[in-house]
Amino acid sequence: MKPRALVIEPDFSGHRWRYVQWAVEALIEAGYECVVATDASNCKHALIEAYQAGRADVHVLWHREDQRRPSIANRLLGLAKEDFSFYARFAWVYREVTRSEPVDIVVVPFGDYILNAVAFLGSPFGKSPWFCVVMRQTFHHREMGVNVPARPLVDYAKKQLFSWALRRGNLSAVLTIDPTLPGWHANTSLAKHSPAVLYLADPFPEGGTVGRDEARERLGIGTERMILVYGAITDRKGVKELVNACMTRDMPLVIVIAGKQNDDIRAFLKALGSRSKERVVVFDHFISSEMEADLFCACDAVWVGYKGHYGMSAVLVQAYRYGKAVLASPFGLIGWFAKQDRLGPVLDDLSIPAINAAIDEVFALDREYEPARESDGRKLLAGHTVSNFKKTVRSALTIAGPDVKTIPTPI
C-alpha cells in the first residue's frame, strides 16, 4: 500500500494553486497517494478538474466553513482571531481524513494560515508529522538588511510566535520562500532545538518563449509600449496608482492587467473614461500557462510596485526568467532583489512623478537592460525552478524521519 499524504489549501487564488500542484507532483514522484483538501468553491478550478478527470493517486476532499461543527472553545477562538478559525478548520479536515485510515504526512502549502495558532495550541494534526510553507514572516527583515518599516513591538511579538510554533508545533520542517529567513534562523539559538528552516525557490512554471509580435497577435495587443500587471489583482498591486500615472503621459502606452480581480479593482477599471480604457487591456479570469507565457513575452516591462507587500514575488521571478525589466517597490524582498541585482528602476514612492520617472527610465533602457551577473540574488533567482521546488519538498519528507515513507525518485 502506498503511503498517504494530506495536502490542505482552501484558497486557490493567485499563485497558491501552483503550490498545491507542485507539492502533489513531488509527493506522487516520491511514491505517495494524496488527499487534497480544499474549499468547495474551487470545484471548477482547472487543477481540481484535472485531478478528478484522471488521477487515481489524487483524491479531493471538499470542505466548507459551515460543514464542520467546532467545539464551543474553538468557536470562541475563531471569533478572537482568524488564525484560530483556520486552525479549527484544518483540525476538522484532519479528523475527517483520518477517520478511515491514517496519513503519513500532512503538507500545508500556506502555513501562515495557522502558524500563530500553532504557537499557542500545538499541532492541529495530532501526532502526524507535517511541514508547511511560510510566505509572510517579516519580523527578521530589518536584522537581515531588508528595507521594511520599523515595527519593533510587532516584530518582537511575531518573532516570539514563530519561535513558539517551531518548538511546540510538532513540525518536521518549515519551508520559506524568503531567502533571508533560513539565515536568520541559523544564527539563533533556536536552530539547535527546532525543526529545519529550508529555503524554497518560489518558481513559475517552465514556459516556452515566442516572439514579441507573435505573442501580441495572440493577445490582440498592438505595437504600443506595454507594462504588465500580473497575478491576483487587488489594490495592494498598486494598480490604481499605475493607471493614474499613465493617464498623464502623451506617449502611446498600454497597461495589461491579467489575473482575477477583486470587486474594488473591477469597479475602478469599469469607471475609467473612454480615453483611459483605450490604454488598459484587462484579462479578468484564470490565466492558462500558455497565455501566461504570451503575456511575459509580449510585454516591455513588468510592474511589481506593490503596496505593503514585503515578501517574495513569483512575478518578479518570472520577469527575471523572461529577461524583462521591472518597475519595483523599494520595500521588502522585491526591493532587496531589484536593487542588488539591478532588475529595473526602483520607485521612490507611488506618486505620479515617481512612477513616470521610472517608466521613462525603463523604456530608455529598451532591450539593452541586463541584470547584475554575479550577485547572490541572481544565483538564487536562477534556481527558482519547479524541479528545485520539488527537490526541497522531498528533502522535507526525508527530514520528517524514518516514520515517513519515501521512495527514491529516478534520476
Side-chain angles (χ1 to χ4, degrees):
M1 180 180 291
K2 289 184 177 182
R4 193 168 180 237
L6 169 61
V7 181
I8 308 177
E9 176 52 77
D11 183 4
F12 271 34
S13 67
H15 205 48
R16 295 188 191 186
W17 69 274
R18 291 286 192 192
Y19 277 65
V20 173
Q21 177 188 9
W22 297 326
V24 167
E25 287 175 2
L27 289 161
I28 290 172
E29 289 166 9
Y32 284 77
E33 68 174 29
C34 298
V35 178
V36 175
T38 189
D39 192 273
S41 62
N42 298 316
C43 63
K44 297 297 184 182
H45 193 280
L47 181 62
I48 294 298
E49 290 183 338
Y51 287 156
Q52 293 184 311
R55 293 227 60 145
D57 41 15
V58 180
H59 311 281
V60 179
L61 172 71
W62 305 115
H63 59 90
R64 295 185 179 90
E65 185 65 23
D66 57 0
Q67 266 185 306
R68 60 184 179 85
R69 295 180 180 176
S71 65
I72 293 175
N74 277 337
R75 287 179 184 175
L76 292 173
L77 287 171
L79 291 172
K81 198 173 192 304
E82 187 180 35
D83 304 54
F84 294 105
S85 179
F86 275 114
Y87 182 97
R89 188 174 181 181
F90 283 30
W92 177 87
V93 168
Y94 175 76
R95 290 194 299 272
E96 287 295 304
V97 171
T98 57
R99 199 180 299 277
S100 56
E101 59 179 299
V103 296
D104 297 283
I105 189 76
V106 180
V107 181
V108 181
F110 189 69
D112 302 271
Y113 285 128
I114 60 171
L115 214 57
N116 288 343
V118 167
F120 292 102
L121 303 177
S123 172
F125 309 122
K127 295 183 179 179
S128 294
W130 69 290
F131 64 88
C132 67
V133 181
V134 296
M135 305 184 192
R136 292 184 175 173
Q137 301 300 322
T138 60
F139 61 83
H140 62 293
H141 276 166
R142 289 182 70 84
E143 291 181 48
M144 301 301 291
V146 179
N147 181 14
V148 294
R151 303 182 305 169
L153 294 178
V154 172
D155 287 345
Y156 176 79
K158 290 192 172 184
K159 183 188 300 184
Q160 295 307 309
L161 289 172
F162 184 74
S163 301
W164 294 345
L166 292 189
R167 291 192 179 104
R168 301 172 182 174
N170 193 34
L171 280 151
S172 301
V174 171
L175 314 185
T176 174
I177 62 173
D178 178 349
T180 67
L181 185 57
W184 173 86
H185 176 259
N187 291 320
T188 66
S189 58
L190 191 64
K192 297 179 181 179
H193 310 288
S194 68
V197 177
L198 306 177
Y199 180 55
L200 179 71
D202 182 20
F204 249 90
E206 307 291 346
T209 58
V210 297
R212 175 178 177 271
D213 293 343
E214 181 183 347
R216 287 189 172 214
E217 183 178 356
R218 283 204 287 259
L219 294 168
I221 296 170
T223 59
E224 303 92 344
R225 295 285 199 172
M226 169 183 160
I227 296 173
L228 174 64
V229 184
Y230 184 75
I233 309 298
T234 69
D235 185 57
R236 292 183 67 182
K237 288 280 188 182
V239 174
K240 296 176 185 177
E241 289 80 359
L242 175 62
V243 170
N244 289 333
C246 288
M247 292 310 111
T248 67
R249 301 179 66 87
D250 293 328
M251 68 175 290
L253 171 65
V254 63
I255 303 167
V256 174
I257 302 173
K260 282 194 172 182
Q261 303 164 14
N262 67 4
D263 292 340
D264 174 51
I265 295 299
R266 198 171 287 120
F268 167 76
L269 294 174
K270 188 176 181 180
L272 291 176
S274 57
R275 178 175 174 270
S276 301
K277 288 181 178 178
E278 291 174 0
R279 293 193 173 192
V280 179
V281 176
V282 176
F283 299 106
D284 182 13
H285 54 72
F286 172 79
I287 306 296
S288 68
S289 297
E290 294 76 18
M291 185 176 183
E292 185 175 83
D294 282 345
L295 287 163
F296 280 91
C297 290
C299 72
D300 296 294
V302 178
W303 174 262
V304 285
Y306 304 158
K307 300 188 292 186
H309 178 89
Y310 306 119
M312 190 51 186
S313 165
V315 177
L316 182 77
V317 178
Q318 190 73 324
Y320 167 83
R321 177 171 297 164
Y322 279 93
K324 305 295 182 175
V326 299
L327 299 123
S329 163
F331 300 110
L333 293 177
I334 290 175
W336 186 76
F337 273 106
K339 288 175 183 176
Q340 72 171 9
D341 300 329
R342 300 198 301 276
L343 300 178
V346 177
L347 297 153
D348 293 328
D349 53 54
L350 289 180
S351 66
I352 287 176
I355 292 172
N356 279 329
I359 292 173
D360 290 339
E361 181 181 344
V362 79
F363 287 156
L365 292 171
D366 202 15
R367 296 190 175 275
E368 298 175 0
Y369 171 78
E370 289 189 2
R373 289 292 175 188
E374 298 299 330
S375 69
D376 291 339
R378 175 172 156 70
K379 293 174 186 175
L380 284 173
L381 290 176
H384 279 231
T385 63
V386 174
S387 60
N388 280 340
F389 181 103
K390 293 180 183 179
K391 182 179 179 181
T392 306
V393 170
R394 289 194 293 270
S395 296
L397 291 174
T398 302
I399 292 170
D403 292 336
V404 175
K405 305 173 180 67
T406 56
I407 299 173
T409 304
I411 298 175

